[in-house]
């Protein structure tokens, strides 16, 4: 754990400027004479003013508001039959962890009780390097084509002219992208506003691969299951707290850990063989779908426990840099195009937000400092000493063996991705199941209220009607409920392509020689 050593500061340290010169009277600026103008030679003053001007760094473009803590990940049930990842090979294996929870759309000072997905990021410092989990509290997402992400996010943020959030933009985008409605059902249902960060689960959403030394693999979805259980706020409770205590979730987490109530989560996997994947009703690279638990049960692997508050928020939480591409041998990404794009997007964001040497910051550094030929750049304080910056024959780096052979992977990559572009009846099955099987009567009522409350803020009737037509296609009761509440009269249901289109496509693939 880097926190205690690096971030603890002793009491009673002598006050200095940034160069370590003692400064006894910080408010006594040097002047020409008694009442004359200030002197440019007053280093302590210029030092303080100019450092202050540079205190802000770019906030995260999404997930800007967050909080977190440190803890430990411990393996309880090894996964060595499915992966060669060393961490998961033995019961009792442990590593230190830093976790950051967040909302998505709001700025760094926005309210914690927004109706918004929550980020659930975990940094594991393993002997084989950093393994980041950059998950959400919902098992699905709004899109399955990464090009949509920046445009989608813009519609959840502020209007370029008014700088206001805009319900027309919000629903205009979503109602043109019916595959987003599974996530919309979750977001506007009872699970849409978690009560703080302790009482929610975390999901990889994306399919990953667990790989063995012989190169064979199974597909996997990762889950963090809250041992505290789950709790959520109603819209009225969330609105009240947004006014009274917009930092509710951060405060709740911090104070619980201070009280010794250490929140924990079971880390579990669902797995699927490549053969099962080809026969599965849904595309495993489709981030808008879940893997039903009755077909693919959860298997517990370990436990994550948060037991240490940060000493310095900026150093340990604002500067922490999570990336889905920070993976360890034995854990691979699937071909999911959204995941593949995220592999690029996060380190790119870190280089912008924190500089090219973001991995050298104490909270981001791996246990064993990297040995390679990367050098220099801003803030290179681990610059790898006097070892030559090329593969020298005198001071040579050892190249380890590849952990396994990748060549057999992903025979059906391209075709899977093609299939992701069309909206078919398959996209409506899982949202419909939520409505029919998961929501009780009260939840159904609250769902219609929540959507009507938000969609009612849109000015355009066309956007309202288009949105309601998609809800009609999920279930006529939702469509009718909303059409009534919004005085829209009769709305024609949206007509997706038949499910057979997608299934036929995959069947052709499975039958290929
Ligand atoms: C944060 C991009 C989809 C979870 C971010 C950041 C970027 C980004 C640029 C800011 C990173 C930083 O400054 O450190 C994208 C793109 C996506 C995508 C391009 C799709 C094409 C997703 C999905 C999930 C997710 C599907 C969850 C399953 C998160 C989380 C954070 C985050 C948890 C906050 C990380 C932290 O706490 O520092 N995303 N994202 N994102 N994203 Fe995504």
């Amino acid at each position: 754990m880097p926190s205690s050593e690096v971030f603890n500061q002793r009491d009673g340290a002598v006050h200095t400027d940034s160069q370590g010169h003692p400064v006894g009277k910080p408010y006594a600026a040097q002047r020409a004479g008694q009442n004359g103008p200030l002197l440019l030679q007053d280093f302590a003053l210029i030092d303080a003013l100019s450092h202050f001007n540079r205190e802000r760094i770019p906030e995260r473009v999404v997930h800007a508001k967050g909080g977190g803590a440190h803890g430990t990940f411990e393996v309880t049930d090894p996964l060595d039959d499915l992966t060669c990842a060393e961490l998961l090979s033995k019961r009792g294996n442990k590593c230190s962890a830093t976790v950051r929870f967040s909302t998505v759309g709001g700025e760094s000072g926005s309210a914690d009780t927004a109706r918004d997905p929550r980020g659930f990021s975990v940094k594991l410092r393993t002997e084989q390097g950093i393994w980041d989990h950059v998950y959400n509290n919902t098992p699905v997402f709004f899109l399955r084509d990464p090009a949509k992400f920046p445009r989608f996010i813009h519609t959840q943020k502020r209007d370029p002219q008014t700088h206001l959030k805009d319900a027309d933009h919000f629903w205009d985008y979503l109602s043109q992208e019916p595959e987003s409605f599974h996530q919309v059902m979750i977001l506007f249902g009872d699970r849409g506003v978690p009560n703080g960060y302790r009482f929610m689960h975390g999901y990889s959403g994306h399919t990953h691969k667990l790989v063995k030394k012989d190169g064979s693999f199974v597909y996997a979805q990762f889950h963090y299951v809250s041992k505290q259980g789950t709790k959520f706020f109603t819209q009225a409770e969330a609105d009240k707290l947004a006014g009274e205590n917009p930092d509710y979730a951060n405060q709740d987490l911090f104070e619980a850990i201070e009280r010794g109530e250490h929140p924990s989560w079971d880390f579990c996997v669902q797995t699927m063989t490549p053969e099962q994947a080809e026969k599965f009703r849904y595309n495993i690279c489709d981030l808008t779908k879940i893997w039903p638990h009755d077909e693919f049960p959860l298997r517990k692997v370990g436990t994550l426990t948060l037991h240490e508050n940060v000493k310095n928020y900026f150093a340990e939480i604002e500067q922490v840099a999570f990336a889905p591409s920070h993976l360890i041998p034995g854990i691979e990404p699937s071909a999911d195009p959204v995941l593949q794009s995220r592999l690029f997007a996060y380190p790119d964001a870190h280089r912008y937000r924190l500089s090219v040497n973001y991995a050298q910051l104490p909270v981001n550094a791996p246990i064993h400092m990297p040995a390679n030929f990367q050098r220099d750049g801003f803030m290179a304080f681990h610059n790898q000493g006097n070892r030559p910056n090329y593969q020298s024959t005198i001071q040579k780096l050892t190249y380890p063996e590849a952990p396994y052979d990748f060549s057999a992977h992903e025979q059906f990559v391209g075709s899977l991705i093609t299939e992701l572009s069309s909206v078919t009846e398959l996209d409506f099955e899982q949202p419909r199941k939520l409505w029919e099987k998961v929501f009780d009567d009260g939840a159904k009522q609250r769902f219609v209220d929540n959507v009507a409350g938000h969609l009612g803020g849109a000015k355009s009737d066309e956007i309202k009607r288009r949105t309601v037509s998609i809800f009609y296609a999920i279930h006529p009761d939702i469509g009718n409920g909303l059409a009534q509440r919004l005085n829209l009269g009769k709305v024609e249901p949206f007509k997706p392509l038949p499910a057979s289109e997608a299934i036929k496509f995959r069947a052709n693939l499975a039958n290929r020689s």
Side-chain angles (χ1 to χ4, degrees):
M1 169 79 54
S3 63
S4 8
E5 255 172 66
V6 181
F7 301 112
N8 256 337
Q9 285 290 304
R10 72 199 153 86
D11 267 348
V14 172
H15 177 247
T16 67
D17 62 22
S18 64
Q19 298 304 306
H21 311 126
V23 180
K25 289 188 178 167
Y27 306 135
Q30 291 180 23
R31 334 184 68 135
Q34 269 222 312
N35 293 316
L38 295 178
L39 294 182
L40 195 58
Q41 70 169 28
D42 188 349
F43 179 75
L45 175 67
I46 307 295
D47 190 44
L49 289 178
S50 52
H51 190 280
F52 178 71
N53 285 351
R54 290 162 179 77
E55 275 180 11
R56 293 286 169 274
I57 62 171
E59 63 177 33
R60 289 166 177 81
V61 63
V62 276
H63 295 261
K65 175 72 186 291
H70 303 295
T72 305
F73 180 92
E74 178 166 0
V75 175
T76 52
D77 303 86
L79 208 56
D80 53 335
D81 54 323
L82 296 179
T83 169
C84 59
E86 267 174 40
L87 174 70
L88 307 182
S89 65
K90 259 204 340 250
R91 181 189 312 272
N93 276 0
K94 279 187 192 170
C95 70
S96 85
T98 296
V99 174
R100 181 175 181 272
F101 303 111
S102 48
T103 52
V104 182
E107 299 82 8
S108 164
S110 57
D112 287 345
T113 52
R115 186 171 292 281
D116 200 14
R118 301 293 185 267
F120 193 121
S121 303
V122 183
K123 183 173 290 298
L124 300 181
R125 300 181 185 85
T126 86
E127 283 295 324
Q128 292 185 295
I130 298 287
W131 181 16
D132 284 344
H133 302 161
V134 202
Y135 301 171
N136 277 346
N137 73 319
T138 55
V140 297
F141 199 60
F142 297 94
L143 47 83
R144 54 189 172 213
D145 178 335
K148 293 181 179 174
F149 184 80
R151 301 153 206 213
F152 158 63
I153 292 294
H154 284 167
T155 67
Q156 314 293 297
K157 291 202 172 242
R158 293 178 187 276
D159 174 85
Q161 180 182 23
T162 60
H163 201 55
L164 298 172
K165 299 244 173 156
D166 193 308
D168 285 83
H169 295 188
F170 188 97
W171 293 104
D172 191 16
Y173 173 87
L174 294 173
S175 60
Q176 295 180 74
E177 311 295 342
E179 74 270 25
S180 64
F181 271 57
H182 192 188
Q183 173 76 312
V184 171
M185 292 286 292
I186 297 172
L187 191 61
F188 282 85
D190 283 348
R191 286 193 274 163
V193 188
N195 178 324
Y197 295 134
R198 295 184 290 148
F199 300 97
M200 63 183 200
H201 305 315
Y203 303 87
S204 66
H206 298 287
T207 297
H208 288 71
K209 290 188 296 187
L210 297 173
V211 189
K212 289 205 283 192
K213 274 231 156 12
D214 64 5
S216 62
F217 69 90
V218 293
Y219 290 112
Q221 288 265 347
F222 300 117
H223 300 240
Y224 278 105
V225 180
S226 168
K227 293 177 86 165
Q228 295 71 242
T230 53
K231 283 204 235 167
F232 302 96
F233 286 128
T234 62
Q235 189 65 54
E237 290 166 334
D239 288 345
K240 186 161 180 283
L241 265 175
E244 288 174 358
N245 185 2
D247 302 318
Y248 171 84
N250 276 3
Q251 185 178 355
D252 175 70
L253 178 68
F254 189 89
E255 291 181 353
I257 294 175
E258 288 299 291
R259 285 196 303 271
E261 289 169 31
H262 297 156
S264 62
W265 286 262
D266 281 336
F267 183 67
C268 304
V269 289
Q270 285 179 293
T271 60
M272 200 190 274
T273 63
E275 296 72 36
Q276 286 176 307
E278 295 209 13
K279 295 197 191 99
F280 184 46
R281 182 162 182 78
Y282 306 105
N283 184 331
I284 52 133
C285 289
D286 179 349
L287 185 55
T288 68
K289 305 286 186 298
I290 57 151
W291 297 6
H293 289 211
D294 49 357
E295 277 178 77
F296 304 98
L298 288 191
R299 170 174 166 182
K300 186 182 167 201
V301 180
T303 304
L304 169 76
T305 308
L306 299 182
H307 47 67
E308 187 184 338
N309 274 319
V310 301
K311 303 287 182 301
N312 185 294
Y313 179 87
F314 185 85
E316 296 163 71
I317 298 297
E318 192 58 25
Q319 293 200 118
V320 68
F322 301 96
S325 38
H326 299 163
L327 294 168
I328 52 176
I331 313 289
E332 297 287 335
S334 70
D336 174 344
V338 178
L339 177 58
Q340 290 284 324
S341 303
R342 293 180 70 205
L343 302 178
F344 154 76
Y346 290 68
D348 185 54
H350 306 330
R351 288 179 201 109
Y352 167 66
R353 194 164 68 77
L354 302 165
S355 105
V356 62
N357 286 313
Y358 72 90
Q360 296 184 19
L361 291 166
V363 74
N364 296 325
I367 300 175
H368 305 292
M369 287 311 272
N372 53 39
F373 308 116
Q374 295 173 14
R375 292 292 188 283
D376 309 349
F378 288 114
M379 296 292 167
F381 48 88
H382 168 73
N383 211 27
Q384 307 192 37
N386 63 359
R387 185 165 28 75
N389 54 3
Y390 71 103
Q391 183 65 314
S392 139
T393 53
I394 305 157
Q395 264 182 291
K396 212 173 170 183
L397 282 183
T398 315
Y399 292 139
E401 289 214 349
Y404 32 76
D405 176 12
F406 291 94
S407 55
H409 289 202
E410 302 297 4
Q411 293 176 33
F412 63 166
V413 169
S415 320
L416 269 179
I417 291 166
T418 319
E419 186 209 321
L420 289 175
S421 49
S422 52
V423 174
T424 73
E425 171 54 27
L426 278 190
D427 292 313
F428 293 81
E429 292 178 352
Q430 294 189 348
R432 189 172 301 129
K433 211 166 186 174
L434 270 182
W435 179 260
E436 288 176 341
K437 303 254 155 50
V438 180
F439 291 9
D440 61 19
D441 287 347
K444 286 178 175 163
Q445 189 55 52
R446 285 188 293 277
F447 177 82
V448 170
D449 287 348
N450 292 337
V451 176
H454 197 289
L455 183 58
K459 293 183 264 323
S460 156
D461 264 359
E462 191 195 325
I463 291 173
K464 288 184 198 162
R465 298 179 77 81
R466 201 166 57 222
T467 306
V468 172
S469 79
I470 297 171
F471 280 119
Y472 256 117
I474 294 172
H475 200 285
D477 289 353
I478 317 179
N480 284 328
L482 285 170
Q484 260 177 23
R485 287 284 303 272
L486 298 168
N487 295 321
L488 294 177
K490 189 168 161 43
V491 177
E492 282 301 316
F494 171 81
K495 286 202 176 48
L497 292 170
S500 54
E501 286 296 308
I503 293 169
K504 196 167 62 194
F505 190 73
R506 198 164 33 245
N508 288 341
L509 286 167
N511 294 336
R512 79 194 182 292
S513 55

